[in-house]
Amino acid sequence: MPFKKLHSDIREKLESLNIQTPTPFQSSSIPIIKSGVNVYCTAPKDSGKTTTLVLTTLQKLKCEADGNAPRAVVLVENKERAMELYETFLAYTKYNSLRVYVGHEQLHIDIQKSEIFEGTDILISTPKTMNKLFLLNGVSTAQLKIISIDDAEFLSQHSSYSAIMSISQSIQKCQYVIYSEKMTKMLERFESYFMERSKIVSF
């Protein structure tokens, strides 16, 4: 079972939430994401994609703070989704040292730069804001291990698509995990850029 092979802090939290059995999607996707390859995760709503994103991010970072630069980035469509995901992460990081930060278009970029500089492990942001941070040297990619894209259908918007392409060119080496309800031609195109040798988990 995937949950049995997760960090003890994560297993304790799942137990407290009375989550004992992974969904079929989680059983298939978690081991593949843990292996470190690039992954397309496609499944219908309520298959457990968001929980998978949170659990695998915490697992990658070993449930503890380290350094000052972000080691995990989660890209989302807008501020509302960023705040929802932030609350979900907080529920899982309440009793460990991981630091979670949210960036979005409504918050001045200089404020974000200074707050991120103080130290963060997981950075949740929109592609446009993240790209702006990269262009202004507002976030270091030196320690970045994983980028997850939540409900990636929104990348069909031109500005978001351009931003993710620009972001990927700023990063030397990193695991990418894309979550969506179905595979699209637009998502397939990423294989030629940053999703090299990717695996697909489809439900």
Side-chain angles (χ1 to χ4, degrees), residues 25 29 33 39-43 49 177-181 199 201:
F25 167 75
S29 61
I33 297 167
V39 192
Y40 286 103
C41 292
T42 64
K49 294 194 295 291
V177 184
I178 296 180
Y179 297 86
S180 63
E181 289 195 15
K199 295 199 173 180
V201 179

Side-chain angles (χ1 to χ4, degrees), residues 2 12 15-16 19 21 34 43 56 62 64 71-72 82 86 88 123 135 151 158 189:
E12 277 180 36
E15 207 171 290
S16 73
I19 301 173
T21 309
K34 277 177 62 187
T56 52
K62 299 176 181 174
E64 59 186 23
R71 291 176 294 143
Y86 177 66
T88 305
L123 176 55
L135 293 173
D151 292 337
H158 179 71
R189 283 205 295 272

Side-chain angles (χ1 to χ4, degrees), residues 73 123 129-141 144 147 166-168 170-171:
V73 163
L123 176 55
T129 299
M130 181 64 64
N131 192 39
K132 198 179 287 187
L133 284 166
F134 278 172
L135 293 173
L136 295 171
N137 293 318
V139 58
S140 167
T141 62
L144 199 54
I147 293 181
S166 178
I167 288 165
S168 67
S170 306
I171 296 163

